[in-house]
Amino acid sequence: MNGRDLVRSVRAVASVGAAQGVRTVRAAWRRRRADATGLPPRGAERARVPGPVTDVEPGPGGGVVRFSRSELRILVAVNGAVFWGWDGAEPEPSYALAGRCPEPDPRAVLEPDKDGGWRVVAERVTLMVSRYGAVEVRTPGGVTLRRDLPPRWWEPVGGGPARWMQRSEVGADARFFGLGGRSSGPRLPDGTYRLWNSDPGRAFAPGEDPLYITMPVQLVVSDGGTHLSFHDNSWDGTVTLREGEEGAGSGHDRAGTSELRMDGGPLRCWVMVGTPARVLLAWASLTGAPALPPAWALGHHHARWGFSEQEVRRIVAGYLERGLALDAVHLDIDHLDAHQVFTVDQDRFPKLPVLAEELRRDGIRLVSIVDPAVKALPGNAVHDGGAAGEAFVRDASGHVVRGVAWPGEALFPDFTHARVREWWGGLYGERLAQGFSGFWHDMNEPTSFTAFGESTLPLSARHSLEGRGGDHREAHNVYALCMARAGYEGLRKLAPEERPLLLSRSGWAGMQRYGGTWSGDVATGWPGLRASLALVMGLGLCGVPYSGPDVGGFDGDPSPELYLRWFQLGAYLPLFRTHASLRAGRREPWEFGAEVLEHARLVLAERRRLLPYFVTLAHLARRNGAPYVRPLWWAAPEDRALRDCDDAFLLGDSLLVAPVLAPQTDRRAVRLPWGRWYDTATGRAYDGPGRVLVDAPLARIPVFARAGAVLPVRGEDGGLELEVWAPARGRTGGGLVVPDGGDGWEEPEIERYTARWAGSRVVVEREGEDGGGAPSYPVRVRGAAER
């Protein structure tokens, strides 16, 4: 145990009590001792670089380029993605990929280039390989988007995994996005970011790093084009980013740089090139289509740590009596018997199935927390079932690893084993029998009271890794991903007729296949509000479209103004959930005064009105990978001013939302992309690109509709109607509608609508194979009086 571990242990003793604290210190000592004996010392290391080209072997979609001290395998897939792997690394096995690696593109051929190098020319990208191992990604027009310098390895002389480093250069004007859930985004400032899923152990604000979801996924936007790079490696590592500078040093540009350092694992990379929409489509085809949440999950959720059955009834009654929309209630660890997973505290919730049924009749679903930690208590059904199946993670000596979490001394299932995932997935039958309709996975980085910010399990702990075998250094970052897979696949078997709702606090590349996520314990305060938006936008650009923050922050008492501004932002994010810790203030709208309550009522009414639009965005995300929440540069990445805008976002193609992120603000500047935009509150039209100053009273935040947009909304009678914003004169518009009123697996048809001027009125038609036709929904045109 080093000094940092000792400080954490002392804090744990103070936070969880003396008895639990003693277990915490003991578990920290065990973890440290296990690594001291289970991990080989690195000792002396030998550096290596690829060396010069010696041989080439063309193959389908690319081939193999051999160097004197390494080899590079290149594959251009049929979806346009490019793979390369050093030292014989293949695309599989991979936890990120959805199924098998895509087939190679037979049109891509490895051919000689100048100066002893080689190249592969594909439809969407050209890959250049220099004589000494630099890899350059170019657009079909010849613009260089990324140049990876020859990598370097440090190999232990006595054997073992090699550390490696990869330096990359991008355009001087390029901006970095992604890397999972980062609180300082969405545009990532210069600095070093760790790739290690971590619970910070406290509420966080901008600048806290790392957090719960880290991914070696970069989305890079420059004048030359957009590209996504993904280094498929789940080991611990760091990424150091430095933006470039134009005209730096004697009038020459200084390139932007990215330096990736990994403690082990394969050096393999995927790159996708194109527009942002095309890049995210290719990413989704590679790592899996986002899971489609049930329609009710796109409504308003209320959560709190400290519920009892009486408290749930009181809060639900408060919503119903005041006519406030509520679609789901989340139960935290307090509803479990002594915090033991898949149990119910009968004192706090004596009739949980009855409560769930009563709430469902009012259109409200119950959502249960599920932690991976299993109480180390023989006689407990989950413990005994896991022990009998040897489901729990063991150390290098073969002993079951014990940590300390909410139930006390705990064991952790090895979700990297298919048999363990199947066993765990079957346990959700107990939750369904209790009446739960959705689930949120917590503490699954994994974390415990022994090691906030570090590994709960010893780094030397052994994992199946689908039969390959390995230790926690490789398994840590994919642990939550595999737990989400276990829950999702189990629910598909147990309730095959319903789409499951599954949220996971931690995850990795490909986690969108199983559900979404939330912000975790974001700090209460204006910086936490800003971090909430950064996390949602950043995760969307990494392929995770369904996420949202704890509205109001997790740990403190928001002022009425802060709460309302957070509530207003949350209403336009995919997951709209209020939540707070046991020690924080309440989050019900009526707790903040009459004025806030009335404004919140309008917010909830608008969210319900926009539900058909959110449903449409959810279906489109599943089909094309596009996030609901998009940066302003989404359709115009060449606009440099939009790349630097982090205080507003696009909701789909049709709406622009400009939240209020600072106190005492009643007017704010909004940067508009190209085109005409209508202020949805006043109907006034503004022409972009440019900045406008608009009112932002406490009652609302600025929201703009794109001219020509056709939005599906909920009418006053509860049915679907089309809200059409008049196109600019001489132009047309349109929109997509995916009607879905249920929670099943049907694939509704995408309906396409156009809007155009015909004399003095706006005509809306539905596109079809037989030509245009009248819409089957009521149509309401707005903005037609504007010229």
Side-chain angles (χ1 to χ4, degrees):
M1 178 183 287
N2 59 21
R4 186 169 55 179
D5 287 332
L6 180 60
V7 170
R8 289 194 181 98
S9 298
V10 170
R11 287 176 177 171
V13 171
S15 64
V16 303
Q20 191 82 304
V22 170
R23 299 189 190 100
T24 297
V25 174
R26 187 184 300 125
W29 275 107
R30 285 199 302 263
R31 180 171 55 89
R32 197 73 179 177
R33 186 171 60 248
D35 283 344
T37 59
L39 289 177
R42 292 202 67 89
E45 294 179 321
R46 181 184 298 111
R48 172 170 61 91
V49 294
V53 171
T54 60
D55 188 21
V56 172
E57 180 183 336
V64 177
V65 182
R66 295 188 177 89
F67 299 82
S68 62
R69 290 180 289 277
S70 185
E71 69 175 33
L72 176 67
R73 183 176 302 276
I74 301 170
L75 169 72
V76 178
V78 290
N79 67 349
V82 179
F83 169 85
W84 66 82
W86 287 94
D87 286 356
E90 300 270 6
E92 299 176 41
S94 169
Y95 279 107
L97 269 57
R100 302 301 303 272
C101 173
E103 292 295 317
D105 184 347
R107 300 170 297 175
V109 179
L110 184 63
E111 57 188 25
D113 193 37
K114 60 183 180 180
D115 299 327
W118 293 78
R119 67 180 180 182
V120 179
V121 180
E123 179 182 4
R124 301 177 189 171
V125 64
T126 297
L127 198 70
M128 316 290 292
V129 181
S130 78
R131 181 183 175 189
Y132 289 97
V135 180
E136 194 169 295
V137 179
R138 296 182 181 178
T139 68
V143 177
T144 299
L145 297 180
R146 188 181 194 92
R147 185 171 186 267
D148 283 9
L149 302 178
R152 181 180 296 270
W153 295 266
W154 289 269
E155 300 169 325
V157 173
R163 299 184 296 120
W164 54 264
M165 180 267 289
Q166 175 73 75
R167 285 197 180 102
S168 307
E169 295 178 347
V170 297
D173 66 298
R175 298 291 182 261
F176 295 100
F177 301 85
L179 294 183
R182 305 288 172 169
S183 62
S184 55
R187 169 187 165 190
L188 298 173
D190 291 357
T192 297
Y193 301 86
R194 190 179 178 191
L195 298 168
W196 190 252
N197 293 348
S198 303
D199 176 5
R202 60 186 180 279
F204 67 87
E208 183 79 38
D209 190 84
L211 293 175
Y212 314 96
I213 301 174
T214 66
M215 299 182 194
V217 178
Q218 296 179 24
L219 190 73
V220 185
V221 183
S222 65
D223 289 353
T226 302
H227 75 275
L228 181 148
S229 72
F230 167 54
H231 284 84
D232 195 350
N233 183 315
S234 62
W235 285 61
D236 193 2
T238 61
V239 179
T240 301
L241 303 177
R242 184 185 182 191
E243 290 183 352
E245 183 180 354
E246 294 178 300
S250 302
H252 297 287
D253 292 347
R254 174 173 59 80
T257 59
S258 168
E259 182 180 283
L260 175 62
R261 291 178 177 267
M262 303 298 291
D263 287 350
L267 202 176
R268 54 185 182 177
C269 182
W270 286 92
V271 171
M272 282 132 269
V273 174
T275 64
R278 183 181 289 274
V279 165
L280 268 295
L281 174 62
W283 178 243
S285 71
L286 184 71
T287 61
L292 185 66
W296 59 264
L298 294 168
H300 177 227
H301 303 233
H302 189 97
R304 181 170 174 79
W305 186 4
F307 272 151
S308 64
E309 184 172 320
Q310 293 75 18
E311 181 71 358
V312 170
R313 292 183 183 278
R314 185 191 72 80
I315 289 175
V316 169
Y319 275 96
L320 297 178
E321 291 168 1
R322 294 170 175 83
L324 303 176
L326 180 63
D327 297 274
V329 173
H330 293 225
L331 301 188
D332 211 317
I333 55 170
D334 39 271
H335 86 280
L336 303 175
D337 182 12
H339 300 155
Q340 298 178 76
V341 67
F342 300 118
T343 64
V344 176
D345 185 331
Q346 294 299 324
D347 292 331
R348 299 175 69 88
F349 290 89
K351 297 180 180 179
L352 185 54
V354 175
L355 173 66
E357 180 58 31
E358 291 177 358
L359 294 182
R360 186 183 283 254
R361 286 198 294 268
D362 289 325
I364 301 169
R365 310 298 180 103
L366 276 185
V367 180
S368 172
I369 195 170
V370 177
D371 285 1
V374 176
K375 187 174 181 63
L377 178 66
N380 174 284
V382 180
H383 171 275
D384 292 351
E390 298 185 345
F392 300 118
V393 175
R394 296 175 180 268
D395 62 23
S397 301
H399 300 104
V400 175
V401 173
R402 294 176 177 235
V404 177
W406 287 114
E409 204 162 51
L411 315 178
F412 296 84
D414 181 8
F415 295 114
T416 69
H417 195 301
R419 174 175 48 78
V420 176
R421 289 196 297 270
E422 184 176 7
W423 162 72
W424 185 266
L427 298 176
Y428 289 75
E430 181 273 339
R431 297 283 85 185
L432 295 175
Q434 295 291 345
F436 289 106
S437 301
F439 307 90
W440 51 304
H441 290 176
D442 200 8
M443 303 287 283
N444 59 342
E445 288 71 33
T447 195
S448 78
F449 301 145
T450 65
F452 285 125
E454 295 296 329
S455 171
T456 293
L457 304 176
L459 296 177
S460 58
R462 304 300 299 171
H463 290 265
S464 168
L465 292 169
E466 315 310 319
R468 293 183 288 112
D471 59 39
H472 196 64
R473 292 175 295 177
E474 181 179 357
H476 176 86
N477 280 338
V478 298
Y479 187 86
L481 175 74
C482 294
M483 181 185 178
R485 178 180 177 183
Y488 183 82
E489 292 178 348
L491 291 167
R492 289 294 307 269
K493 292 180 181 179
L494 293 165
E497 302 301 320
E498 296 186 7
R499 303 196 299 262
L501 169 68
L502 197 152
L503 305 172
S504 180
R505 188 173 76 170
S506 183
W508 203 62
M511 64 179 294
Q512 74 277 357
R513 300 191 295 264
Y514 312 119
T517 185
W518 78 101
S519 64
D521 300 344
V522 62
T524 298
W526 293 95
L529 172 59
R530 182 174 287 273
S532 297
L533 178 57
L535 285 162
V536 173
M537 293 179 68
L539 286 165
L541 295 175
C542 290
V544 185
Y546 183 65
S547 69
D550 286 346
V551 168
F554 181 73
D555 66 329
D557 297 322
S559 67
E561 181 190 12
L562 173 60
Y563 172 81
L564 181 59
R565 292 308 195 188
W566 216 318
F567 203 77
Q568 291 166 338
L569 168 62
Y572 292 96
L573 299 180
L575 174 62
F576 181 21
R577 184 181 90 153
T578 57
H579 184 43
S581 74
L582 184 65
R583 296 175 293 275
R586 296 186 177 277
R587 294 291 185 268
E588 297 82 59
W590 55 88
E591 297 288 347
F592 295 87
E595 183 181 18
V596 169
L597 173 60
E598 289 310 305
H599 295 333
R601 186 189 309 279
L602 297 177
V603 171
L604 290 171
E606 181 65 5
R607 174 67 176 220
R608 178 136 301 189
R609 193 181 76 89
L610 289 175
L611 272 180
Y613 185 52
F614 276 96
V615 168
T616 293
L617 294 178
H619 278 276
L620 295 178
R622 179 164 180 80
R623 301 187 191 201
N624 60 28
Y628 312 21
V629 171
R630 308 166 187 178
L632 295 187
W633 49 259
W634 178 260
E638 69 282 355
D639 189 331
R640 296 189 179 188
L642 296 181
R643 288 185 220 156
D644 297 334
C645 183
D646 61 0
D647 63 352
F649 60 91
L650 299 175
L651 182 60
D653 288 330
S654 300
L655 295 179
L656 187 157
V657 182
V660 173
L661 304 176
Q664 300 178 351
T665 299
D666 58 10
R667 286 176 67 79
R668 63 152 292 176
V670 180
R671 182 168 293 280
L672 299 177
W674 181 90
R676 171 164 292 185
W677 296 87
Y678 293 97
D679 185 324
T680 59
T682 65
R684 180 178 175 182
Y686 298 89
D687 290 322
R691 292 172 66 90
V692 297
L693 188 64
V694 295
D695 291 335
L698 192 62
R700 62 179 173 85
I701 57 176
V703 178
F704 296 83
R706 189 189 302 272
V710 178
L711 280 80
V713 298
R714 181 172 176 167
E716 294 183 359
D717 61 355
L720 193 151
E721 70 177 32
L722 301 181
E723 180 176 88
V724 180
W725 290 88
R729 286 286 184 174
R731 296 188 176 275
T732 61
L736 304 176
V737 177
V738 183
D740 176 19
D743 301 328
W745 295 97
E746 299 83 2
E747 290 281 349
E749 178 186 356
I750 297 179
E751 302 174 3
R752 292 173 167 81
Y753 293 88
T754 60
R756 59 182 175 83
W757 283 97
S760 60
R761 66 190 185 96
V762 174
V763 176
V764 181
E765 295 177 320
R766 178 176 176 178
E767 293 183 350
E769 296 180 357
D770 301 326
S776 54
Y777 312 111
V779 175
R780 183 162 61 100
V781 178
R782 300 185 63 184
E786 293 291 334
R787 293 291 186 266

